[in-house]
Amino acid sequence: METMLPGDTVTSSVFGFSTHLFSLVTDSGQHHSVISTENDVTSDVTTTTEKPYEEFTEVKAAILIDRIYIPLVVAVGVVGNVLCFVTLVFSSLRATSTCVYMAAIAVLDCVILVLDLCVLIRGYLGHTQFYMHNDWTCGFHNFLFYFAIHFDVLLLLAMTVDRFIVVRFPLKAQSICTPSSAVKAITIVGLFTFGLNFQIFFTKRLGATRSPEDPLKCWYPDPDVDFFMKKIYTWIDASIYSFIPCLSLLLLNVLIIRQLRVSIKFSRQFTDSCSSSTKKVVTNTNITVMLLMVSFTFLLLTSPVAIVLLVKRYYWLPDTNAERARARLTHAFVDNLMYTNHAVNFVLYCVSGRRFREELKRLLCAVSCRR
């Protein structure tokens, strides 16, 4: 069977869940979402009676949302994540295992946001060479995105498990949930994610297209690899980034909240309000509230992407320009909601974490006093 070159159709479809970062950009600068399925492979060759895709209000609104919102969320997110990392690493907070996880997540969030901005800039330039000069940079860019986004969400899951152990088994947690154990867990999760996605580095390549505006596309030239990525890896991707974490976080958060209420009630009844035991409960409660805020925000902002994936695979099959325009606008909302999840942790920490606010103020005062 002859393999179709990328660019044989005006619109291509990339199969995957978190691959919406690597949206295809047409010569008119449209930022096509790539959360799609095999049912989305269509051609933009329109009939004389159908309105051109580019002229729909939904498409223009989606492009405007991307051009305004993405630079804003990237700027706010990168600055916030840098402040998070500095506060968590260069303060007493680094003595807790949860904050070690949070510092690692801040680094990964920065990487994801910067990659998103690269794709937006490519939309303006209209050619692959902006950030992909050869096969290796093509493979590395795609690998780095998958690695970062899977690593990020698995660390959030590991952090939630760590916090559940602290709340549910406080005595055992003193020897289990330590900063060193958090570093080990981060290393194990990182190696797993690296192994899961490393094949992308060798299989994703630059290929020639028949499009004069963008003669090179980053794709999978091997038909077997292309089949695997479209039919199998897309569900591995979706399960790791959304389905498994969403269900697990929801269950763990319910158990944490339940146990937290029991611990607070017990502390109030059997200990003095000024005792060291009570102060420790308050500290653990404060950190746990920060984690719960992050977890529920993840569920709120990433669930729409998973829902769109399922709906488009089984029920919503756009086959006209009008339907594709509505799908484009829908993706503009859900994709940017997902990226917002990687930019808001600093705000969540400031709102819910008293100790985080105190350490941040101390560090900012120390810097200002030196000047």
Side-chain angles (χ1 to χ4, degrees), residues 156-166 177 252 256 291:
L156 176 60
L157 185 57
M159 181 173 65
T160 306
V161 172
D162 177 272
R163 185 47 41 176
F164 171 74
I165 294 175
V166 170
C177 302
L252 286 170
I256 288 174
L291 170 61

Side-chain angles (χ1 to χ4, degrees), residues 25-32 53-54 59 63 67 123 126 213:
V25 184
T26 66
D27 55 346
S28 61
Q30 297 160 9
H31 186 271
H32 287 206
Y53 173 82
E54 297 84 358
V59 175
I63 295 173
R67 290 180 176 178
E213 292 82 11

Side-chain angles (χ1 to χ4, degrees), residues 118-159:
C118 288
V119 174
L120 180 68
I121 295 175
R122 176 182 178 256
Y124 285 110
L125 298 181
H127 56 80
T128 307
Q129 290 87 338
F130 165 63
Y131 57 87
M132 297 180 187
H133 301 283
N134 52 49
D135 286 342
W136 298 111
T137 54
C138 167
F140 178 74
H141 194 188
N142 284 266
F143 159 75
L144 183 60
F145 171 69
Y146 277 105
F147 172 78
I149 207 164
H150 291 157
F151 197 4
D152 186 275
V153 69
L154 289 178
L155 284 188
L156 176 60
L157 185 57
M159 181 173 65

Side-chain angles (χ1 to χ4, degrees), residues 63-78:
I63 295 173
L64 185 63
I65 291 172
D66 284 342
R67 290 180 176 178
I68 295 176
Y69 187 76
I70 290 178
L72 177 64
V73 76
V74 170
V76 173
V78 169

Side-chain angles (χ1 to χ4, degrees), residues 10 13 23 43 70 99 136 146 165 190 218 232-233 269 340 346:
V10 178
S13 175
S23 304
S43 173
I70 290 178
C99 293
W136 298 111
Y146 277 105
I165 294 175
C218 199
I232 301 175
Y233 188 82
Q269 289 180 349
T340 302
F346 176 74

Side-chain angles (χ1 to χ4, degrees), residues 105-257:
I105 290 174
V107 175
L108 294 170
D109 284 340
C110 283
V111 173
I112 294 169
L113 291 172
V114 170
L115 289 175
D116 186 33
L117 183 62
C118 288
V119 174
L120 180 68
I121 295 175
R122 176 182 178 256
Y124 285 110
L125 298 181
H127 56 80
T128 307
Q129 290 87 338
F130 165 63
Y131 57 87
M132 297 180 187
H133 301 283
N134 52 49
D135 286 342
W136 298 111
T137 54
C138 167
F140 178 74
H141 194 188
N142 284 266
F143 159 75
L144 183 60
F145 171 69
Y146 277 105
F147 172 78
I149 207 164
H150 291 157
F151 197 4
D152 186 275
V153 69
L154 289 178
L155 284 188
L156 176 60
L157 185 57
M159 181 173 65
T160 306
V161 172
D162 177 272
R163 185 47 41 176
F164 171 74
I165 294 175
V166 170
V167 174
R168 182 65 180 84
F169 308 102
L171 297 179
K172 294 182 179 179
Q174 296 179 7
S175 59
I176 299 176
C177 302
T178 62
S180 60
S181 65
V183 172
K184 293 178 183 178
I186 291 171
T187 303
I188 293 173
V189 173
L191 291 174
F192 168 78
T193 310
F194 183 87
L196 177 67
N197 297 297
F198 191 58
Q199 49 86 19
I200 298 175
F201 184 76
F202 296 100
T203 56
K204 196 86 168 181
R205 290 291 179 262
L206 281 179
T209 74
R210 298 188 176 98
S211 171
E213 292 82 11
D214 197 359
L216 294 175
K217 293 273 187 204
C218 199
W219 68 314
Y220 298 102
D222 188 318
D224 294 332
V225 175
D226 187 61
F227 175 84
F228 171 78
M229 296 301 295
K230 292 178 179 179
K231 302 296 184 179
I232 301 175
Y233 188 82
T234 180
W235 286 107
I236 297 175
D237 177 20
S239 298
I240 292 178
Y241 185 76
S242 184
F243 301 149
I244 294 176
C246 283
L247 294 175
S248 301
L249 289 174
L250 186 60
L251 175 61
L252 286 170
N253 286 342
V254 170
L255 294 176
I256 288 174
I257 292 173

